[in-house]
Amino acid sequence: AQSVTQLGSHVSVSEGALVLLRCNYSSSVPPYLFWYVQYPNQGLQLLLKYTSAATLVKGINGFEAEFKKSETSFHLTKPSAHMSDAAEYFCAVTEPNGGATNKLIFGTGTLLAVQP
Amino acid sequence: DAGVTQSPTHLIKTRGQHVTLRCSPISGHKSVSWYQQVLGQGPQFIFQYYEKEERGRGNFPDRFSARQFPNYSSELNVNALLLGDSALYLCASTPAGGTGELFFGEGSRLTVL
């Protein structure tokens, strides 16, 4: 069964510093991978997705992620953190199955704090 | 365009009661999924419906049920509520032919006392 591991439940960075949130998946078949962001008391917003095209994926708000099959990783980065980036970030995976189902398996989330 | 809308946004129930949560997908989206997010955890898949038929079910007891209507809106029902059912219930819709991405609503926060 698919699973997603997010290393670090809490990450704290200074404003302007690099943001690196880690995600590893378990799958023998290259999956579709997603990063979602959740602000307090809100639903989830899609940041970016990997669907077997370019391995470096650019998303909204300056975030990007790189799919590395050899490492089964899909880490999220942003060169310079902003106070507004403080939120919880979820990595998710699904298997391409011709659209039969869209079941996403989510990681446990990483809470990002940005210090002034 | 309106996003995914859910109602109610907050509700409080007592153990043993029943709850119905409602969801309207983005216009044109025919698939609706439900997820449960317990505090401090990632969302867990409950159901997916497409064209009024159940396409997938997660590891949840039979107390959880759902349905989709001809206008593609959906209801999630939970019977015999337990304290552990307290969570944020998220509805998401998906466009046909998409690449698996889900568009989420703001959620319904259920508290069971």
Side-chain angles (χ1 to χ4, degrees):
Chain A
Q2 284 272 18
S3 66
V4 174
T5 302
Q6 290 185 242
L7 291 176
S9 59
H10 291 78
V11 170
S12 181
V13 300
S14 298
E15 192 173 18
L18 171 72
V19 175
L20 171 60
L21 305 182
R22 300 178 186 274
C23 172
N24 289 87
Y25 65 92
S26 66
S27 174
S28 59
V29 177
Y32 292 162
L33 291 154
F34 306 84
W35 276 99
Y36 282 85
V37 61
Q38 187 176 35
Y39 297 99
N41 300 312
Q42 293 188 24
L44 280 75
Q45 180 184 7
L46 180 68
L47 273 178
L48 49 79
K49 64 179 179 181
Y50 167 77
T51 58
S52 74
T55 56
L56 182 63
V57 181
K58 294 188 183 298
I60 62 171
N61 302 337
F63 285 93
E64 62 182 35
E66 185 173 8
F67 173 71
K68 291 187 177 180
K69 183 179 178 181
S70 61
E71 299 177 6
T72 61
S73 69
F74 190 58
H75 301 331
L76 182 71
T77 60
K78 182 174 181 178
S80 177
H82 191 272
M83 297 296 290
S84 61
D85 294 327
E88 189 150 27
Y89 293 80
F90 292 94
C91 181
V93 62
T94 188
E95 291 181 350
N97 55 12
T101 61
N102 296 105
K103 174 183 175 182
L104 288 188
I105 306 298
F106 284 86
T108 52
T110 297
L111 187 62
L112 175 66
V114 181
Q115 308 299 327
Chain B
D1 287 342
V4 175
T5 57
Q6 294 186 242
S7 63
T9 55
H10 295 80
L11 68 167
I12 299 173
K13 294 285 187 177
T14 56
R15 282 177 296 175
Q17 284 189 314
H18 163 270
V19 68
T20 297
L21 307 178
R22 295 176 175 83
C23 171
S24 293
I26 293 172
S27 177
H29 289 192
K30 299 180 179 180
S31 176
V32 169
S33 300
W34 288 94
Y35 286 76
Q36 180 196 63
Q37 186 180 17
V38 173
L39 195 63
Q41 297 183 21
Q44 298 289 317
F45 173 75
I46 310 176
F47 286 109
Q48 184 196 358
Y49 277 79
Y50 178 76
E51 291 278 15
K52 298 180 291 181
E53 291 192 2
E54 184 180 301
R55 283 293 185 92
R57 182 185 182 110
N59 188 24
F60 281 81
D62 291 343
R63 299 185 295 108
F64 288 76
S65 64
R67 55 179 176 169
Q68 187 177 32
F69 299 99
N71 65 355
Y72 304 112
S73 67
S74 178
E75 281 184 356
L76 175 69
N77 294 281
V78 187
N79 293 323
L81 285 168
L82 303 174
L83 296 180
D85 295 330
S86 296
L88 180 67
Y89 288 87
L90 295 163
C91 176
S93 69
T94 313
T99 50
E101 66 188 89
L102 302 180
F103 295 82
F104 284 89
E106 300 281 302
S108 293
R109 184 164 296 283
L110 171 64
T111 301
V112 182
L113 302 177

